[in-house]
Amino acid sequence: MASRVEFDRQLKMNAAAQRHTGLILPEITADRRKKRSTLHRFRNSLKQNICVEMLQGGFHRSFSELFFLLNSDQDRRAAAEPGSGVRLQTPLDEQRDKLETMRLHLSRAEQAERTGSWSVVCEQRLILGQYFSAPEDLWLSLHFYHSCADRERGGRSRPATEARACLAELYLQQGELERASQQAELCLKRAEDDGWLDSAGRPLRLRARRALWRIYSRLAEAPLDTADYNEALTLLHKGYSMAAESEDQQIEAEASYRLGLTYQSAGEHDTAKQFFDTCTQIYGTLQDADGLVKTYKAMAKSIESEGNIHETIQCLETLADISRSNGLQHHLADAYLRLGNIYYTRSQCKRACEFFLQGYEVASNLEDLTLLHKAQVLVARARAHSLIRKYGADVESATPSALRRLLAWKETRGRQDLSTDSTDNTNTAWY
């Protein structure tokens, strides 16, 4: 009985103590819990904290996707070997900005998915694809662009169509031309139907056409290497069609130039000249001196192949004028040397020497030793050829005046400057 009374008394004392400390204990307990939570967060890794936030917010799909990407990064790093070409950086789970960015936009995408806002879902994934623009993040960029473009719901939206344009450009950079072509063609089809603009306000249909022009140009390189001009021309014409409709005169001129070169290689010089004419018109409008110079060089080659020397000379003189006016000294020297060669092949050595000497002077100013040596050889050859022709003519004629010139030449060994052209009368003094 006594023990029962004592037990009841102890219970009353405990209850009184709890009532007495009731105002203080809850505050102490809450404070301890807060400290314990802060300490727990501090001890967790960055990866754990991000994942916990996503789970606490109810974004379980986003958590699963982020966790998958983090594991993929670990697998890529583990599989990478020295010299494998895989760019390694700081582990993804240690990069706060990237983890926070993925958490934010994946959570927004999942929230939009719950409400059926499929365009918003794609927009958030497009943002992530654009965010991971560094070369070492290519795999992440491709993941988010595909997760945007390949969605069953929202896959035909404006953001998804822009993602296809981005995929086409990325695959083109990687040399995966078939994949690039597939993505660009899908982008063009959808953008044509709806007239969408990309994030920078540019028409997506034009962006897709520019990508397709580059893709077809790259695809044409393989048949060109094997001299399969029919296949190359088919691809280049497709590219030219895209370029002409791209509203970008620069790439239209470049596409025309590529076609001209290919027709030239195939021996179809008339057709080549038609495309070169288009180039000169466009480059002239754009005031693109470099474009004009390379086009006139190519055009001169086609004209010369047809045996039209007079027109070739006119073309090269135009090339020299453009080069001189725009300070393109290397091209100017090349034009002079090519003009000299034309006159040399026509046995007009004096005229050839004039152009060779001009090319030599330009090369000297440029301090280009390779070009300078080339010009020196051409000048020497032209002069020697002229002297030999005149010497031979005097030997054959054996007239008193010819013999006097030969004796004079023997004494001076031809140290005088070349003063006449080979087309001059051989009886004229040449020493």
Side-chain angles (χ1 to χ4, degrees), residues 29-41:
T29 302
D31 187 55
R32 285 178 179 172
R33 286 176 180 171
K34 183 177 180 180
K35 288 181 178 179
R36 191 159 53 246
S37 176
T38 301
L39 184 61
H40 178 71
R41 180 178 177 82

Side-chain angles (χ1 to χ4, degrees), residues 105-372:
H105 293 288
L106 284 175
S107 298
R108 287 179 178 176
E110 186 172 348
Q111 183 63 45
E113 192 172 352
R114 292 171 183 170
T115 60
S117 302
W118 307 114
S119 181
V120 176
V121 173
C122 292
E123 186 71 45
Q124 295 301 312
R125 292 184 171 276
L126 175 64
I127 291 171
L128 283 170
Q130 294 168 332
Y131 174 80
F132 290 102
S133 58
E136 61 270 18
D137 292 329
L138 174 65
W139 68 283
L140 284 168
S141 185
L142 289 172
H143 168 83
F144 288 117
Y145 282 141
H146 272 295
S147 72
C148 173
D150 298 340
R151 297 186 67 82
E152 183 178 351
R153 295 182 177 180
R156 300 183 66 86
S157 63
R158 188 213 64 80
T161 302
E162 182 175 352
R164 292 207 180 276
C166 297
L167 284 168
E169 292 161 357
L170 283 178
Y171 282 130
L172 178 59
Q173 290 173 17
Q174 299 301 306
E176 298 185 44
L177 302 181
E178 293 299 333
R179 285 187 173 185
S181 177
Q182 291 171 3
Q183 296 297 334
E185 287 170 358
L186 280 171
C187 173
L188 179 59
K189 184 178 184 303
R190 294 176 183 176
E192 288 266 72
D193 294 340
D194 297 281
W196 283 316
L197 304 178
D198 66 10
S199 302
R202 299 167 298 184
L204 274 169
R205 60 184 175 81
L206 301 184
R207 185 171 169 183
R209 284 196 173 94
R210 293 186 191 108
L212 281 168
W213 165 70
R214 290 193 291 270
I215 292 165
Y216 287 132
S217 295
R218 289 278 297 277
L219 285 170
E221 291 175 1
L224 278 173
D225 289 341
T226 59
D228 184 355
Y229 297 119
N230 289 333
E231 177 64 19
L233 287 169
T234 298
L235 291 166
L236 288 174
H237 272 291
K238 287 182 179 180
Y240 180 74
S241 176
M242 292 294 108
E245 297 174 2
S246 70
E247 299 181 14
D248 186 331
Q249 286 190 306
Q250 193 71 44
I251 68 170
E252 182 181 354
E254 186 62 28
S256 183
Y257 177 72
R258 291 287 305 276
L259 272 170
L261 289 180
T262 305
Y263 276 113
Q264 185 180 81
S265 298
E268 299 182 38
H269 295 288
D270 281 338
T271 308
K273 286 190 295 182
Q274 292 174 16
F275 283 103
F276 291 144
D277 282 336
T278 300
C279 287
T280 58
Q281 293 172 16
I282 297 175
Y283 283 134
T285 301
L286 297 174
Q287 297 184 336
D288 184 341
D290 288 318
L292 283 170
V293 163
K294 72 178 184 181
T295 304
Y296 275 111
K297 277 187 176 183
M299 188 182 294
K301 183 177 179 180
S302 279
I303 297 171
E304 188 175 6
S305 296
E306 295 178 322
N308 192 336
I309 301 302
H310 178 68
E311 192 176 342
T312 303
I313 291 172
Q314 288 183 327
C315 187
L316 289 173
E317 286 176 344
T318 301
L319 168 60
D321 290 339
I322 295 171
S323 301
R324 190 186 306 108
S325 300
N326 292 276
L328 304 175
Q329 296 297 297
H330 274 94
H331 294 300
L332 179 59
D334 183 60
Y336 284 147
L337 297 182
R338 290 180 68 175
L339 280 164
N341 272 321
I342 288 176
Y343 284 110
Y344 179 79
T345 57
R346 301 182 73 192
S347 297
Q348 298 181 30
C349 294
K350 181 181 178 182
R351 189 68 171 142
C353 275
E354 291 175 359
F355 282 109
F356 286 150
L357 282 170
Q358 289 183 76
Y360 172 80
E361 290 171 2
V362 175
S364 298
N365 294 331
L366 287 171
E367 298 182 355
D368 184 329
L369 290 179
T370 301
L371 189 61
L372 185 62

Side-chain angles (χ1 to χ4, degrees), residues 59-77:
F59 299 110
H60 300 283
R61 290 186 181 179
S62 301
F63 160 77
S64 296
E65 186 170 354
L66 178 61
F67 199 78
F68 164 76
L69 292 174
L70 293 174
N71 284 340
S72 296
D73 181 59
Q74 291 177 353
D75 292 342
R76 290 176 72 255
R77 295 177 64 81

Side-chain angles (χ1 to χ4, degrees), residues 396-417:
E396 289 178 6
S397 68
T399 62
S401 59
L403 291 174
R404 285 195 297 271
R405 283 194 299 271
L406 288 170
L407 289 171
W409 180 82
K410 180 180 178 182
E411 292 176 359
T412 62
R413 288 290 189 264
R415 289 193 293 272
Q416 290 81 3
D417 290 336

